[in-house]
């Protein structure tokens, strides 16, 4: 089963597994079904040595992150009354969601004194994480992307493995998540994206939000002829049959829930 099904929460992933198991039984075990982060952790455990970490890496929680940033602020002699750990972590997270590594972020904020200081914290923060063979939650997807981009064999392995990809709650994806899916689907281009118009992008979105309720067709030009948009009202059998029939076709599929 060359299927990858991704969603955002553990609860949703478990529900997805249960529904698939009702359809195909034990064959579900051969599919990759989970959250963006759980799927990426599986990839990182296998290939993170390609970027200088050990496979036994740990994932820092919010408390660990806060402690580390406070340490960085102290080492850099930055007064926490001017710049505190919360604002640093928020800005670092935004940078990672925009896929900006420390050097790129530093170049972007050049001339903005406060954010230049955050750039210094960001650089030291990443160095200290690596010294501890640790990553944070935002690194999980970005490091997976880095491995895929820098290692042709790894990208080939997973793009061969995942011939069909389902992304649930597609409207919630950010830039890094979209990039990850794009890479994994780069060979076959078979994606089903399920989104909700009611949770779509507002008229004046934040600069950190990438419009994605409608797929950028330039990414999958060969799939345009098979692109399908279909409202789904509830989880009735007719809709499930429709999804199954469309999903079996080659191409990019967008299913919008109403």
């Amino acid at each position: 089963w060359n299927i990858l099904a991704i969603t955002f929460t553990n609860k949703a992933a478990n529900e997805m597994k249960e529904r698939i198991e009702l359809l195909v039984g034990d064959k579900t075990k051969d599919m990759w079904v989970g959250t963006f982060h759980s799927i990426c952790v599986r990839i990182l455990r296998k290939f993170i040595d390609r970027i200088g970490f050990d496979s036994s890496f740990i994932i820092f929680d919010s408390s660990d992150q806060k402690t580390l940033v406070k340490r960085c602020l102290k080492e850099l002699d930055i007064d926490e009354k001017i710049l505190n750990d919360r604002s640093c972590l928020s800005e670092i997270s935004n940078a990672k969601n925009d896929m900006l590594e420390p050097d790129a972020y530093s170049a972007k904020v050049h001339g903005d004194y406060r954010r230049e200081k955050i750039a210094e914290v960001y650089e030291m923060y990443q160095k200290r994480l690596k010294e501890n063979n640790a990553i944070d939650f935002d690194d999980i997807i970005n490091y997976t992307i880095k491995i895929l981009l820098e290692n042709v064999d790894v990208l080939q392995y997973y793009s061969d493995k995942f011939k069909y990809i389902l992304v649930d709650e597609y409207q919630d994806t950010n830039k890094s998540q979209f990039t990850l899916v794009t890479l994994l689907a780069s060979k076959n281009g078979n994606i089903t994206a399920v989104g909700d118009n009611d949770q779509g992008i507002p008229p004046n979105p934040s600069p950190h939000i990438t419009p994605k309720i409608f797929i950028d067709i330039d990414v999958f030009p060969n799939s345009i002829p098979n692109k399908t948009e279909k409202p789904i009202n509830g989880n009735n059998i007719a809709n499930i049959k429709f999804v199954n029939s469309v999903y079996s076709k080659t191409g990019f599929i967008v299913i919008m829930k109403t």
Side-chain angles (χ1 to χ4, degrees):
W1 290 78
N2 303 105
I3 296 174
L4 170 64
I6 314 174
T7 187
F8 282 82
T9 67
N10 289 324
K11 180 181 178 181
N14 288 332
E15 288 178 356
M16 192 183 295
K17 288 177 184 176
E18 289 171 2
R19 293 182 184 185
I20 295 172
E21 192 168 356
L22 288 174
L23 293 172
V24 300
D26 290 340
K27 293 177 182 178
T28 307
K29 296 175 183 178
D30 297 325
M31 302 177 192
W32 281 41
V33 182
T35 64
F36 273 97
H37 291 89
S38 67
I39 294 297
C40 285
V41 167
R42 288 183 67 175
I43 295 173
L44 291 176
R45 291 293 178 197
K46 189 177 181 71
F47 290 109
I48 201 169
D49 62 304
R50 300 290 184 95
I51 55 173
F53 288 82
D54 187 86
S55 60
S56 62
F57 67 88
I58 58 175
I59 302 170
F60 271 25
D61 60 21
S62 57
S63 177
D64 296 324
Q65 290 179 270
K66 184 175 181 179
T67 299
L68 181 54
V69 166
K70 281 180 172 290
R71 206 173 94 199
C72 292
L73 287 167
K74 186 174 182 179
E75 287 187 49
L76 292 167
D77 197 26
I78 297 174
D79 191 341
E80 286 196 54
K81 293 179 181 178
I82 298 173
L83 188 63
N84 61 39
D85 58 276
R86 182 178 297 178
S87 58
C88 280
L89 283 170
S90 176
E91 187 67 15
I92 289 171
S93 181
N94 287 336
K96 290 183 178 185
N97 285 334
D98 283 340
M99 298 175 63
L100 295 174
E101 294 187 353
D103 288 347
Y105 175 77
S106 181
K108 179 182 178 181
V109 302
H110 179 69
D112 182 329
Y113 177 79
R114 181 175 178 278
R115 295 173 80 192
E116 284 181 343
K117 289 298 179 183
I118 293 177
E120 292 178 26
V121 176
Y122 183 15
E123 181 178 11
M124 180 174 286
Y125 172 77
Q126 290 302 108
K127 286 181 179 178
R128 296 292 180 264
L129 281 173
K130 193 164 188 177
E131 288 170 1
N132 286 280
N133 195 39
I135 63 177
D136 68 18
F137 197 68
D138 293 317
D139 287 326
I140 293 173
I141 295 177
N142 286 349
Y143 279 158
T144 304
I145 292 170
K146 183 178 178 68
I147 291 168
L148 294 173
L149 288 173
E150 295 179 357
N151 298 272
V152 177
D153 61 319
V154 180
L155 177 57
Q156 180 74 33
Y157 175 79
Y158 286 108
S159 60
D160 281 339
K161 182 177 182 64
F162 303 131
K163 292 182 179 178
Y164 301 96
I165 299 175
L166 165 69
V167 184
D168 190 24
E169 300 295 347
Y170 186 79
Q171 76 282 347
D172 292 332
T173 55
N174 59 26
K175 182 178 180 180
S176 59
Q177 291 159 342
F178 175 77
T179 302
L180 175 70
V181 172
T182 301
L183 286 168
L184 293 176
S186 59
K187 181 174 181 179
N188 298 293
N190 298 322
I191 297 181
T192 298
V194 182
D196 189 337
N197 276 326
D198 292 335
Q199 299 178 42
I201 303 302
N204 298 301
S206 158
H208 299 297
I209 296 177
T210 303
K212 64 272 182 181
I213 193 66
F214 296 107
I215 315 299
D216 182 353
I217 59 177
D218 293 331
V219 177
F220 298 101
N222 296 329
S223 299
I224 295 173
N226 293 322
K227 180 179 175 183
T228 304
E229 294 184 13
K230 171 74 175 181
I232 295 180
N233 297 296
N235 294 317
N236 58 55
I237 292 178
N239 286 327
I240 292 173
K241 285 183 178 178
F242 171 82
V243 172
N244 287 340
S245 65
V246 175
Y247 188 68
S248 65
K249 298 178 182 178
T250 301
F252 195 15
I253 303 146
V254 182
I255 300 174
M256 309 302 295
K257 291 188 292 188
T258 59

